[in-house]
Every structure is written in structure tokens, then in C-alpha cells.
């Protein structure tokens, strides 16, 4: 597919998925939603993608939904509107949360409204200290809807969920880290380097163990104690089967052979 609103860049096991409407601050229009849906579907099975980074081109990460093309121009087209909302829901929700490789949101600038669902549903997030983020819906007479409430409740501190949803105040990258929306903030000049450093750390790990970790935690957080226990037992058996015994035969064996210290480093895969 020839993408117009996004761009894909591959780099040694790491794939950058970039919103590419810098002239519109990377607001998500129907084309962008369709393309992200398609790209995530394709990259799910792409052996060269071991870690996925989502970022924006230009000075913006994502200015939320395209207020003109997603809301205003579709207001009298219920069928088309429903269709595109579903696509938007699918890729930013289940497809992103359960993407089989780790995902990192690299928040390079403006991030508003629906952009929070992208950040919240990535596994990890790094932001530029200088970025400005906001739950701006209240500022145009609306509320954080769709996927945003779940995503922000999942990651942000509750008082800040309420504060920023009710006031619509924008905040910077450092504040985003303080309130749990992202893992950490770095100066913008260091953002790409630090994001790649984190991605490279993940590329070193066992890919099946990463996938199982995501599924155990992401599904497990919605289960009770007993369900979590049996869920993780079942996933453990699945992992051993998929790895063909890898974690025991390599990870544990290399430790018993005194080849490495798992408390401090990763086992040798090959
Ligand atoms: N939807 C549609 N177009 C947008 C959006 C958006 N969400 N955000 C920016 N744009 C467009 C502007 O209309 C403008 O287009 P034009 O050049 O054709 O007039 C262009 O992007 C540049 O935007 P400016 O406002 O000129 O840029 P500036 O740097 O001054 O401000 C900012 C950037 C703060 C991001 C501002 O554009 C803004 O407030 N955007 C809306 C952000 C927002 O509230 N998003 C929430 C959407 S609701 C939701 O996601 C559920």
C-alpha cells in the first residue's frame, strides 16, 4: 500500500511508524486511520519488526482527531462515520494493545485528545520535555471519549486524570512523566537517541517471552487472582512450546553453566 498520511521506516529490527501530516500537526483523518490499521496488520507478521516505535513527523506527535475531516465533515454521513470510527477504535485499541511485539510511543511534540489513546495503549512512552500535551476536549465543549478514558485511567494518576480532563490545561513533557502518562522525558535533542536505546534493549530479549509478557500483563490486569494464576500458567506452557524449550534449555542452562547472571544481563539467544 502506498501510504499518504503515514510513513514506515525500518532500522535493524526496529520499525518506526510515523504520522505524516506535519502540515496538520498530524491530526488523525480517515486516511491516516485506514493506513495505521493496514500498517499494524502488516507489521504484526513482519519478522524484521521486533520493536515498534510510533512517532510524528515535524513538530507534532498527534493533534488528536482531525476536527474537520473526522468530526465536522462526517457529521451528516452516519454510515461512513461509523465505519471510520470502528477502524480508528480497532487500531488504537486492541491492535495496538495486543500487538505481538513491544511498542514505544515517542512523543516528539504536540499531543492532544485522541493522541492520548495512542500513547496510553503503547507499552512504553518517551516524551520530549518541550512537548505540549492536553486533554483539550473540554475546551471545545466535549469530554475525553472513545478510547481515551480507558487509556488515561490505565496509566495516569487519578487526580491528574480528573484535573486535566476538567480544565483542559496543557502540560509539558516533564509533567507527563510525573503523572504516569509516559515512562520518562528527555530534552528534544536526545529523544531519538534515547528511544532507540530503549528499543535496542528490547531487541536483545527473547521475542516470544516479550509477546507472552505483554499478554500475561495486559489481559491479567483485568482478571482476578485465581484467573491470573491459571492464565499465566497456561501462557507459560504456550511459551515453552513456542520456544521449543528455549528459556529452560538456554536461559536457565546458561546460568547453571555460569555463563551469565540473569539479575544483571540477558542470556545469549544463539
Ligand atoms: N484537526 C484538524 N486540523 C488541525 C488539528 C486538528 N486536531 N490540529 C491542527 N490542525 C491544523 C490547523 O487547522 C492548521 O491547518 P491550516 O494551516 O490549514 O489552517 C494546521 O494544522 C496548523 O495548526 P495551527 O493551529 O496553525 O498550529 P499552531 O502551532 O498554532 O497550534 C495546535 C498547534 C496547538 C496543535 C493547534 O493546532 C490546536 O489546538 N489543534 C487542535 C488540538 C486539539 O484540540 N485536538 C483534540 C482533537 S479532539 C479528539 O482527538 C477526540
Amino acid at each position: 500500500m502506498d501510504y499518504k498520511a503515514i510513513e514506515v521506516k525500518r532500522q535493524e529490527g526496529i520499525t518506526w511508524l510515523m504520522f505524516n501530516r506535519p502540515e496538520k500537526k498530524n491530526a488523525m483523518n480517515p486516511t491516516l486511520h485506514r493506513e495505521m490499521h493496514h500498517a499494524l496488520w502488516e507489521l504484526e507478521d513482519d519478522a524484521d519488526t521486533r520493536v515498534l516505535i510510533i512517532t510524528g513527523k515535524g513538530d507534532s506527535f498527534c493533534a488528536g482527531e482531525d476536527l474537520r475531516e473526522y468530526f465536522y465533515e462526517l457529521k451528516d454521513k452516519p454510515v461512513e462515520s461509523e465505519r471510520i470510527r470502528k477502524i480508528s477504535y480497532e487500531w488504537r485499541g486492541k491492535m495496538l494493545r495486543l500487538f505481538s511485539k513491544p511498542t514505544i510511543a515517542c512523543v516528539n511534540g504536540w499531543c492532544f485528545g485522541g493522541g492520548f489513546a495512542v500513547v496510553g495503549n503503547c507499552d512504553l512512552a518517551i516524551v520530549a520535555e518541550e512537548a505540549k500535551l492536553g486533554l483539550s476536549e473540554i475546551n471545545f465543549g466535549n469530554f475525553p471519549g472513545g478510547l481515551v478514558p480507558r487509556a488515561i485511567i490505565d496509566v495516569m494518576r487519578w487526580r491528574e486524570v480528573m484535573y486535566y480532563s476538567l480544565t483542559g490545561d496543557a502540560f509539558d513533557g516533564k509533567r507527563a512523566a510525573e503523572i504516569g502518562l509516559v515512562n520518562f522525558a528527555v530534552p528534544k535533542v536526545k529523544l531519538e537517541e534515547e528511544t532507540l536505546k530503549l528499543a535496542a534493549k528490547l531487541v536483545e530479549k527473547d521475542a516470544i517471552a516479550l509477546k507472552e509478557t505483554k499478554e500475561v500483563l495486559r489481559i491479567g490486569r483485568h482478571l482476578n487472582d485465581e484467573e491470573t494464576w491459571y492464565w499465566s500458567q497456561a501462557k507459560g506452557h504456550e511459551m515453552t512450546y513456542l520456544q521449543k524449550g528455549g528459556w529452560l534449555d538456554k536461559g536457565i542452562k546458561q546460568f547453571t553453566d555460569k555463563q551469565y547472571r540473569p539479575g544483571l544481563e540477558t542470556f545469549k539467544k544463539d
Side-chain angles (χ1 to χ4, degrees), residues 21-29 59-60 62-71 92 110-116 132 134-137 139-140 142-146 148:
R21 303 184 71 219
E23 73 290 352
K24 297 290 181 191
K25 307 295 172 191
N26 296 321
M28 297 179 285
N29 67 351
D59 67 353
S60 182
C62 175
E65 297 293 0
D66 189 304
L67 296 173
R68 186 189 309 274
E69 290 186 47
Y70 183 85
F71 287 120
R92 290 178 306 145
W110 303 116
C111 177
F112 292 101
F116 277 62
K132 277 272 181 294
L135 292 158
S136 57
E137 290 88 340
N139 293 339
F140 54 88
N142 206 324
F143 58 86
V148 177

Side-chain angles (χ1 to χ4, degrees), residues 98 213-223 228 231:
L98 294 180
T213 301
K214 283 189 65 162
E215 290 172 4
V216 164
L217 296 175
R218 284 201 174 275
I219 307 292
R221 73 184 302 186
H222 302 296
L223 305 177
T228 312
W231 170 240

